[in-house]
Amino acid sequence: DVKVTQSSRYLVKRTGEKVFLECVQDMDHENMFWYRQDPGLGLRLIYFSYDVKMKEKGDIPEGYSVSREKKERFSLILESASTNQTSMYLCASSLGTGASYEQYFGPGTRLTVT
Amino acid sequence: GQNIDQPTEMTATEGAIVQINCTYQTSGFNGLFWYQQHAGEAPTFLSYNVLDGLEEKGRFSSFLSRSKGYSYLLLKELQMKDSASYLCAVRDTTSGTYKYIFGTGTRLKVLA
């Protein structure tokens, strides 16, 4: 079974702090994604990566950056956390981008910025 | 632009059949996915359609009409454990790369 793990289930940070969210997948997937999920807005793509050291902006990249130094690990960085970044953050991976390659999601990190 | 619409909430009775609709607008359609998400949990994959027609998987079926920009997820013989949110997602290539665009989800309540 594919396993996607995220470093924390719950996180509380203060405004202005630098925040690191880690995601690891164990199935040698090429593609990794970071989403945030907010009530009434659904899942919105922040950044994605199709290869090591490669990254592309999603729909809402402002205030975030990412790092993919190893294939299995994709990190989301909040450079200076703000209260409007309080959300559920979901990481996902997929084998490829064609055909029926579905995304496998991690359990999520609920981040609260105070 | 890109847009996905699905109803916010639906209610059905145990043992019944329910159809959850999804309409989408995109110029770079490259497949449609349905995911199930129980409260507090991660989404899990249910089905995939890229060609017109019906895909059946046990109690769940998914239909696609590309010309109408329309899909539905059909759940038969509803069980209490089917109470969850159902997310419609379109894979889109408008930007030149593959991106997944999600609807806001349909929260299904199954009543005894």
Side-chain angles (χ1 to χ4, degrees):
Chain A
D1 274 354
V2 175
K3 196 165 185 185
V4 181
T5 56
Q6 296 183 229
S7 48
S8 306
R9 289 301 304 270
Y10 299 94
L11 209 53
V12 180
K13 295 291 181 181
R14 293 192 181 275
T15 302
E17 278 193 84
K18 192 168 187 176
V19 182
F20 293 86
L21 302 182
E22 303 284 339
C23 175
V24 178
Q25 49 93 3
D26 66 357
M27 282 300 290
D28 203 35
H29 281 179
E30 297 291 330
N31 311 308
M32 298 188 76
F33 307 82
W34 274 107
Y35 295 89
R36 62 179 284 177
Q37 186 173 30
D38 300 288
L41 297 176
L43 273 85
R44 291 180 292 165
L45 182 64
I46 305 171
Y47 267 97
F48 58 105
S49 169
Y50 289 142
D51 202 352
V52 175
K53 296 192 186 292
M54 176 273 178
K55 60 186 178 185
E56 288 213 27
K57 292 180 180 179
D59 298 317
I60 51 164
E62 297 78 21
Y64 303 94
S65 62
V66 290
S67 172
R68 194 166 180 202
E69 296 296 317
K70 293 185 177 180
K71 192 175 187 179
E72 67 271 19
R73 188 180 296 270
F74 192 35
S75 303
L76 180 69
I77 303 150
L78 286 67
E79 296 292 341
S80 177
S82 63
T83 54
N84 63 13
Q85 292 179 310
T86 291
S87 185
M88 171 67 84
Y89 289 87
L90 288 164
C91 174
S93 73
S94 69
L95 180 61
T97 50
S100 62
Y101 295 136
E102 72 270 27
Q103 294 179 303
Y104 294 83
F105 286 85
T109 296
R110 185 165 292 284
L111 172 67
T112 302
V113 183
T114 61
Chain B
Q2 304 136 345
N3 193 44
I4 297 180
D5 287 312
Q6 46 181 135
T8 303
E9 199 167 290
M10 299 182 71
T11 303
T13 306
E14 196 174 16
I17 299 172
V18 72
Q19 177 174 312
I20 302 174
N21 296 325
C22 171
T23 57
Y24 64 87
Q25 290 177 306
T26 178
S27 54
F29 178 82
N30 191 262
L32 188 142
F33 298 78
W34 284 96
Y35 289 84
Q36 180 190 60
Q37 185 177 26
H38 285 101
E41 297 182 12
T44 55
F45 170 74
L46 287 177
S47 70
Y48 167 76
N49 296 72
V50 69
L51 299 177
D52 292 351
L54 190 69
E55 294 284 339
E56 297 190 73
K57 252 189 186 184
R59 294 191 298 115
F60 293 7
S61 304
S62 57
F63 171 83
L64 176 67
S65 168
R66 288 172 297 170
S67 62
K68 294 181 180 177
Y70 168 70
S71 172
Y72 67 72
L73 180 69
L74 193 71
L75 291 75
K76 303 175 190 172
E77 301 168 17
L78 278 174
Q79 301 175 10
M80 300 298 289
K81 67 179 182 180
D82 297 329
S83 291
S85 287
Y86 291 86
L87 313 180
C88 173
V90 167
R91 185 168 57 209
D92 180 85
T93 59
T94 303
S95 63
T97 58
Y98 290 96
K99 286 170 68 172
Y100 297 82
I101 304 161
F102 283 79
T104 54
T106 298
R107 189 163 59 245
L108 173 67
K109 295 182 186 176
V110 180
L111 305 176

